[in-house]
Amino acid sequence: MPVAKKQTAKKPVKRVRKKTGNILDKIQTIDFSNSEPFSVGVFGKPSSGKTTFASSFPGRILYASCSGGLKKPGELRSVSKKDREKFDQITITECEQLNEITEAVSDSEEHSTVVLDNLTSFSDLCLEQITKKPVPAQLSWGYATKQDWGKHGALMKSFLRNLLNLPKYVVIISQERWFEPPEGSEIGIPVVGPAATPTVAGWLVASLDYSAQFYTRAETKSKTITINGSQKNMEVKTGNVEFCAYL
């Protein structure tokens, strides 16, 4: 019986490029490590598990809160006491403070994860800086001009780009918003995304490594019942709640 030859793993051939003096000198090697930090955006209705999910990220967590300007954000009540000890919380009252946080944590080894909670309130802070007046609880038509909204989109992207470029795990929490398809679209189906302007939401989802919609539903279990002598399976509610996510 012939004996199979022992296979040895071939070492990858390292490709050496000659300097060309043009844009091709900027070609980079594609290499993703399993331990490399990533960014994720989570959006959903209140009490759908967004902050609890953020607490599962590794290392110390720098929690940048701008949800109502509370000294002790109510969102953290849903996090277990053990996980809450991982949090260092900073309340953002001005949008420029996010850049200050990004710069301070960039070279620091103290925090492995940065959480922004939430994008919707941070958007209001940016709009307030542009219009120089408080943002009402319910935005109305004419509050900001078309030019103001253009500045708002550019300002939001600049802050968020710096945050996403951090060499850390980045979690951006947001409320959810339904976006209607463009007029004349063949798809014709509304989509759900982070509660921000369409310009910011579209840019952010494309810039994140992962994006997830969180929601809850009634937990069910399969039960076999007999009807007229034949057995059928049916789903029965257990009375509990399931926390779910579309990734």
Side-chain angles (χ1 to χ4, degrees), residues 133-198:
K133 54 185 178 181
V135 175
Q138 180 65 43
L139 282 174
S140 57
W141 177 261
Y143 169 81
T145 65
K146 186 176 181 179
Q147 185 178 15
D148 287 337
W149 285 114
K151 292 179 180 178
H152 172 267
L155 188 62
M156 285 280 290
K157 291 176 185 178
S158 68
F159 287 131
L160 296 174
R161 183 181 293 110
N162 290 339
L163 181 63
L164 294 176
N165 283 335
L166 279 174
K168 313 279 183 181
Y169 292 98
V170 175
V171 183
I172 298 178
I173 297 174
S174 172
Q175 298 172 20
E176 68 178 27
R177 175 181 176 180
W178 288 89
F179 294 91
E180 295 295 331
E183 188 175 351
S185 170
E186 295 182 358
I187 300 176
I189 301 174
V191 296
V192 64
T197 62

Side-chain angles (χ1 to χ4, degrees), residues 225-238:
I225 60 174
T226 302
I227 301 178
N228 297 329
S230 60
Q231 292 186 334
K232 293 185 178 180
N233 290 328
M234 63 179 297
E235 296 295 318
V236 180
K237 293 183 178 180
T238 65

Side-chain angles (χ1 to χ4, degrees), residues 74-143:
E75 290 86 348
L76 295 183
R77 293 183 184 276
S78 63
V79 178
S80 69
K81 184 177 180 180
K82 181 180 178 181
D83 286 336
R84 211 180 302 159
E85 293 173 352
K86 298 165 50 179
F87 281 74
D88 291 324
Q89 183 254 324
I90 296 177
T91 300
I92 295 179
T93 56
E94 298 177 1
C95 56
E96 292 288 349
Q97 292 173 340
L98 183 60
N99 265 352
E100 294 179 26
I101 292 172
T102 301
E103 292 175 6
V105 79
S106 179
D107 298 324
S108 171
E109 296 182 359
E110 183 179 1
H111 298 96
S112 301
T113 302
V114 179
V115 177
L116 174 62
D117 189 1
N118 61 56
L119 179 70
T120 311
S121 295
F122 182 73
S123 174
D124 288 346
L125 289 179
C126 290
L127 187 58
E128 187 173 305
Q129 176 174 305
I130 292 169
T131 60
K132 307 299 181 184
K133 54 185 178 181
V135 175
Q138 180 65 43
L139 282 174
S140 57
W141 177 261
Y143 169 81

